[in-house]
Amino acid sequence: MKSDFKDSIEKAVNNANLTGALGKFSEAYKVNRARAYEGIDFEALRTVIAERKGYAATHLDQMAADFTRNAEAAGARVFCTSDPEKVKEYILKVARDNNVRTVVKSKSMATEEIHLNSYLEKAGISVGETDLGEWIIQLAGQTPSHMVMPAIHMTKEEVSELFSKEIDQRLTTDIPQLVEVARRELRSKFLAADMGISGGNLAVAETGSIVLVTNEGNARMVTTLPKIHIALVGIEKFVEKFSDIVPILDALPRSATAQLLTSYVSIITGPSPNTDGSTKELHIILMDNRRSEMAHDPKFRQALQCIRCGSCLNVCPVFRLVGGHVFGKIYTGGIGTILTAWFDELKKSEEIQGLCIQCGNCKEICPGKIDIPELILEIRRRLVEKEGLPILQKAIYSVVNNRRLFHGMLRAASIAGRPFSSGKFLRHLPLFLADLTDGRSLPAIAAEPFRDRFQKIKQPKCSEKAAFYAGCLIDFAYPEMGEALVKILNRAGIEVVFPEEQTCCGAPARYSGAYEVAARNAADNINALLSEEVQYVISACPTCTVALVHEFSSTFQSLGQTEWLPRAQELAGKTVDFSTLVKKLVDEGRLTLKEGQQLGRITYHDSCHLKRTLQVAAEPRQLLSRAGYELAEMFECDMCCGMGGSYSIKLPEISAPILQRKLQNIKNSGAQTVAMDCPGCVMQIRGGMDQDGAAISVRHSVELLAEQLENPRG
Amino acid sequence: MFEQFKSRTEGVGSELHRFRTRGEALNFISTFLQDEGTMNAPGSYAVWVPGRFLTGIDTARLSAKIPGLSFSVNRETAADSLIGISDMDWALADTGSLVADQTAVEQRLASTLPAIHIAIIGTDRILADKAAVFTKITPATSRYIAFITGPSRTADIERVLTIGVHGPKRLVIVLVDAMEGVAP
């Protein structure tokens, strides 16, 4: 990562105005969004939207032809082009032909994508943004920091300063007064403008209509007062039918601003009368700019299902720390990363794609059902394919891909690291883990890894067998978690086997775009774990579980190594996460927890992969309650802890504040213990709690439950 | 449906007044215009777009009674008006929205430029939701379909909700049960 990018991150996370505004907004957003969707089946709604938008995206030529025919029949002039330069030339020509001197604009991301304002200004045409947020950033000479709330990074003091300069009068910081100034100033611009330029939230093929969704009323003015209206619409805004507007209007305001509907929605079909009785000149420009190329890419086609609500920004733990000036170019946040890679160029997304921590929050709330984290990984994969891995990472993965060398080095680390460790924590890890940050202590590499300890465990002979997939963290840092797991399964009459040839699950490589490495890890693990006849493959690390259940197949698929798919699927079918299996064993009466225990208050941290990919959240809570803990939910219990595998190493300046927020929420819950199902989260949160000094114990559920097993009868 | 419409539209900051007859509604509007200081001076005019509600009503008498009230809506009168009055076609219970075919530019001027918009609609025009209204409206005949849900709003400065940025600061909905009754 380049140092100026690192600098911009540093500056953003230390900007209290920015992180305060974004943080408060994202906290309120979650609650308000849920309220706005009350009584609505979100899954059903977004399935319809994904289908309708997906249909349009796979029939772009037909949409464009139908739209053009119908809009022209209604009297509009339609111009289609794939070239942003042609868009600008067209608009300038219309302006010149009509002697246009001033333009008013309502919000349009497409015009920002092609830098229209500066082009027109250079040609001597005055361009006024009229959306309040857009006007503010225009006056400030900045770019939007959020797709829906462009000036969210600015304080009322800064706005007051800008407005004071603009109208040459000292203003206070009273927000209603500032808004009144904007109303007055912009009103005269609306009335004087020769041309209005808008975007379009939707373009309906069967009627040739464009739909504008706003709150301020500026789009109504822009499309009513000037005699010429130009709407610039990206062709991803197509829907086939007039009735397709309904589901999108159901979702867009709810997801964007947690409103049931925005103050204004305008459906414009052909020109309407001007105020002087003449007929408006309506131009609709359909802009491609690599969108149809995107539609032909089997992976990225789904990105065209975006309705531009910005909710992926609002729930992103990284975006709320750094904002859109770091996380994006014109289009910001998760979807912005993808759109930047396409509408701008792949290379431009190189740095911002690395900001994604893969927590999956955005995927869960996307009304277009876009798998944003997966697409960002795909960008990563293509970047690595094109540009290769950074040298340091290449060195690491050549080690990880050699199981013996990798394990040998981890063993060596346990000895080399010893002089530096204090108690259970290590201040400085050797080798590739050395670059770690303050704010979190790291676990010592265990003197004896689980694979060695396992040999010494005496197990009863059982008819049922499970293979334990430990993953690197349990094997080499937290072997006691593995021992606890064996104890629990033995008590339920299941014998644990530990295939020695198992190695890293490949997640770190995959999340860095090194799919070839991940595929070799996957193949090694499939061979190891399917070598013995077992009922289950169990893992107590959700990231590993997700790798075994979903990612092995998807990695092979991405690389076209389809010969591995049947065995990958066989493994996936046997694999189960710890809490799900134990809950099942308890429910079946095969495992009994001690009765009547009063173990005090506990709070539970949902790990990203467990909650959002494996959809497991109730099981560990039920087990802990059953064991005698009193559950006290923390605020944002399912928000990422900032670990994200190697993320915390690559971007410590972001990982650390995310962790601090998590620690605060844990402390505020009043619990003495915080439980979780992921050794990675344990590493992050336990390390943070150690440096924080709070007397809260951080435990994996497997350890807590092993302590509460009822002694076997007889 | 009325109760839901009322609670949803008041929830987004609309002011709702319901009357049994057009006579009662007209009395309310007349008094409202006078109370808000409508007069024959730029900035204090009121413009009223003739429509369903005014059918059979003597508008000349009304203008005489309320100086500054005009039924001829254009760019200049609307821009200088404090109050704009127009009919709406449909109301939606689930979002508290009003919907109208605003192809005629007077409709848009009166509901966009003045600080207060009085929107008149019959109680019988309340529909359940968007899906219902989409079976009633069609772009084949309506070139500019407008949905209005509460007053103009913004939260662009520090996420503080502020009412009345470009469009009306107040949306006053006059709901009339017997729209077809004898003209008052």
Side-chain angles (χ1 to χ4, degrees), chain B residues 45-67:
Chain B
Y45 302 141
V47 284
W48 194 329
V49 188
R52 189 181 176 205
F53 181 87
L54 284 175
T55 311
I57 292 177
D58 184 348
T59 53
R61 255 183 62 196
L62 265 180
S63 318
K65 191 173 136 199
I66 307 166

Side-chain angles (χ1 to χ4, degrees), chain A residues 6-283:
Chain A
K6 282 271 191 179
D7 288 347
S8 73
I9 293 172
E10 196 75 40
K11 218 167 107 190
V13 295
N14 290 314
N15 178 345
N17 289 336
L18 175 75
T19 55
L22 288 170
K24 259 184 263 156
F25 172 69
S26 79
E27 287 174 5
Y29 172 79
K30 196 176 176 195
V31 179
N32 294 337
R33 177 190 174 278
R35 199 176 297 142
Y37 272 109
E38 261 168 31
I40 288 187
D41 182 345
F42 180 66
E43 278 312 314
L45 176 61
R46 70 172 177 167
T47 302
V48 173
I49 292 172
E51 191 279 319
R52 292 283 74 211
K53 292 278 293 183
Y55 178 85
T58 47
H59 297 79
L60 283 177
D61 290 345
Q62 186 203 325
M63 295 297 119
D66 289 354
F67 181 89
T68 303
R69 192 180 60 251
N70 292 318
E72 283 177 348
R77 296 176 213 185
V78 181
F79 175 62
C80 300
T81 179
S82 56
D83 181 0
E85 290 310 311
K86 295 256 162 57
V87 173
K88 290 188 274 195
E89 286 162 19
Y90 182 91
I91 294 173
L92 184 60
K93 183 169 188 310
V94 173
R96 290 251 161 91
D97 289 350
N98 291 279
N99 202 18
V100 167
R101 281 159 306 158
T102 60
V103 169
V104 280
K105 275 181 73 198
S106 61
K107 195 170 155 45
S108 156
M109 297 298 295
T111 62
E112 291 180 43
E113 182 183 327
I114 62 169
H115 309 287
L116 177 66
N117 289 11
S118 59
Y119 178 85
L120 292 178
E121 297 272 5
K122 263 181 216 142
I125 295 165
S126 138
V127 183
E129 293 287 352
T130 62
D131 174 87
L132 178 58
E134 294 283 346
W135 190 51
I136 292 169
I137 61 161
Q138 188 187 27
L139 292 178
Q142 299 185 11
T143 53
S145 63
H146 187 291
M147 287 196 286
V148 177
M149 300 167 293
I152 191 173
H153 60 289
M154 296 186 73
T155 62
K156 57 181 188 288
E157 287 76 18
E158 291 169 310
V159 174
S160 165
E161 194 64 36
L162 282 172
F163 285 12
S164 299
K165 231 183 260 169
E166 176 68 13
I167 65 167
D168 205 11
Q169 182 191 325
R170 196 66 240 158
L171 296 167
T172 69
T173 58
D174 178 57
I175 292 174
Q177 204 198 357
L178 292 171
V179 171
E180 186 60 32
V181 167
R183 180 184 176 92
R184 213 176 46 230
E185 287 299 305
L186 293 171
R187 178 58 66 93
S188 55
K189 289 192 204 293
F190 282 124
L191 289 165
D194 305 308
M195 179 194 271
I197 298 179
S198 75
N201 293 87
L202 289 169
V204 184
E206 76 169 355
T207 60
S209 313
I210 57 163
V211 183
L212 296 171
V213 181
T214 75
N215 269 313
E216 297 181 357
N218 56 325
R220 277 164 61 80
M221 306 248 193
V222 163
T223 57
T224 295
L225 296 171
K227 286 189 193 174
I228 306 163
H229 171 204
I230 300 184
L232 176 59
V233 185
I235 56 170
E236 79 283 13
K237 300 296 181 67
F238 281 133
V239 288
E240 184 195 14
K241 293 180 184 306
F242 188 60
S243 58
D244 294 340
I245 298 173
V246 177
I248 293 169
L249 277 188
D250 280 339
L252 180 54
R254 286 182 168 90
S255 286
T257 49
Q259 290 175 280
L260 301 184
L261 196 57
T262 49
S263 296
Y264 305 105
V265 175
S266 306
I267 305 174
I268 298 171
T269 313
S272 47
N274 277 322
T275 54
D276 64 356
S278 65
T279 298
K280 192 176 298 294
E281 200 174 310
L282 172 65
H283 299 261

Side-chain angles (χ1 to χ4, degrees), chain B residues 1-9 92-96 127-128:
Chain B
M1 276 202 296
F2 165 74
E3 286 305 327
Q4 194 193 10
F5 174 69
K6 177 178 157 68
S7 97
R8 289 284 156 87
T9 204
L92 308 183
D94 76 329
T95 54
L127 302 172

Side-chain angles (χ1 to χ4, degrees), chain A residues 74 130 133 183 216 220 223, chain B residues 75 111 143-144 152 156 166-167:
Chain A
T130 62
R183 180 184 176 92
E216 297 181 357
R220 277 164 61 80
T223 57
Chain B
R75 192 182 176 94
S111 59
R143 303 206 139 182
Y144 202 112
S152 157
D156 275 351
H166 294 305

